[in-house]
Amino acid sequence: MSEAPRKQKPSGTLNFVLDFGPLFLFFIASKLGSSDADPKQGAIVGTAAFMAAIIVAVIVSKFKLGKISPMLKLTAALGVFFGALTIWFHDERFIQIKPTIIYTFFAVLLLGGWLRGKAMLKYVLEAAYQGLSEAGWLKLSLSWGLFFLVLAGLNEIFRRPEWFSFDTWLSIKVWGVTALTFLFALANIPMLMRHGLKLSDDTELPPKG
């Protein structure tokens, strides 16, 4: 009798690369692809690199982890869609609005679930926070729902071309939002541990947009 296929053990390092790799590549390619002759060239090159990287991330996740997380599916779908619009119309505003849509979607999902007494983040992360009680999941869903609302607002401010350049938006998106997300996640840990959280090397973060 043949054995059932075993699931791959999640890797914290691999999860990090899959989540943040495309974003960092977006930043690097945008900088290397910039041109004085065409101010939009860096954004176009970076967007193309991001699209390719997010597709690779989906494939690697499927074959190395045996699954594609809901947040990676959403990020990939919107990334490819808005990336294609960015390249087709030669307009970086399409890729800049993508984070706002993702943040708003998850804010509505999490806060709507919280109002109905359902911890939707538990399904988004596929129970990655081991040992966390239902009360802990509800508090975490509320916390991240509000955080996503703030991120959506910040993205709308920094993507305005009359206020900030694309390079400024890109730096804030890649470095500022990433650092803020990690700090916010760390700030939640004491509360989560009071609700049964067991830390592990494969603990996931909510969507980065």
Side-chain angles (χ1 to χ4, degrees):
M1 183 173 62
S2 61
E3 294 183 0
R6 293 180 299 176
K7 290 183 178 180
Q8 298 282 353
K9 182 179 179 180
S11 164
T13 301
L14 181 57
N15 281 330
F16 178 86
V17 172
L18 293 178
D19 287 342
F20 291 95
L23 186 61
F24 292 146
L25 185 60
F26 179 32
F27 178 84
I28 294 172
S30 295
K31 295 297 184 182
L32 294 179
S34 61
S35 169
D36 293 335
D38 183 1
K40 295 180 180 291
Q41 180 175 305
I44 302 302
V45 172
T47 297
F50 175 81
M51 291 170 64
I54 200 68
I55 292 174
V56 171
V58 169
I59 295 172
V60 171
S61 180
K62 176 63 177 178
F63 288 97
K64 295 294 290 184
L65 301 180
K67 65 176 183 178
I68 304 172
S69 68
M71 59 178 138
L72 181 56
K73 289 179 183 177
L74 179 65
T75 301
L78 292 180
V80 171
F81 176 72
F82 284 102
L85 292 177
T86 297
I87 294 172
W88 180 263
F89 290 104
H90 208 71
D91 190 339
E92 69 274 16
R93 288 178 297 178
F94 288 106
I95 200 67
Q96 286 180 290
I97 201 174
K98 175 186 72 71
T100 298
I101 294 175
I102 292 179
Y103 297 145
T104 302
F105 173 82
F106 279 103
V108 171
L109 178 70
L110 298 182
L111 295 177
W114 176 79
L115 288 172
R116 292 182 287 114
K118 294 184 178 181
M120 300 305 295
L121 192 61
K122 183 176 183 180
Y123 304 102
V124 173
L125 294 182
E126 299 180 330
Y129 286 69
Q130 298 179 16
L132 189 61
S133 67
E134 195 64 26
W137 277 111
L138 281 171
K139 289 184 178 181
L140 188 64
S141 293
L142 172 61
S143 179
W144 279 101
L146 295 174
F147 183 67
F148 285 136
L149 279 182
V150 172
L151 290 184
L154 289 176
N155 192 67
E156 282 302 290
I157 292 173
F158 286 110
R159 78 178 184 87
R160 298 295 178 184
E162 62 270 25
W163 296 341
F164 300 97
S165 67
F166 177 82
D167 285 344
T168 299
W169 171 84
L170 181 62
S171 296
I172 292 172
K173 167 61 185 163
V174 175
W175 305 114
V177 173
T178 298
L180 193 61
T181 299
F182 273 103
L183 290 174
F184 187 77
L186 290 174
N188 277 281
I189 288 179
M191 178 275 290
L192 297 178
M193 294 185 70
R194 291 196 298 270
H195 288 277
L197 174 66
K198 297 177 182 178
L199 296 178
S200 63
D201 63 352
D202 60 314
T203 297
E204 297 181 42
L205 288 175
K208 273 60 70 182

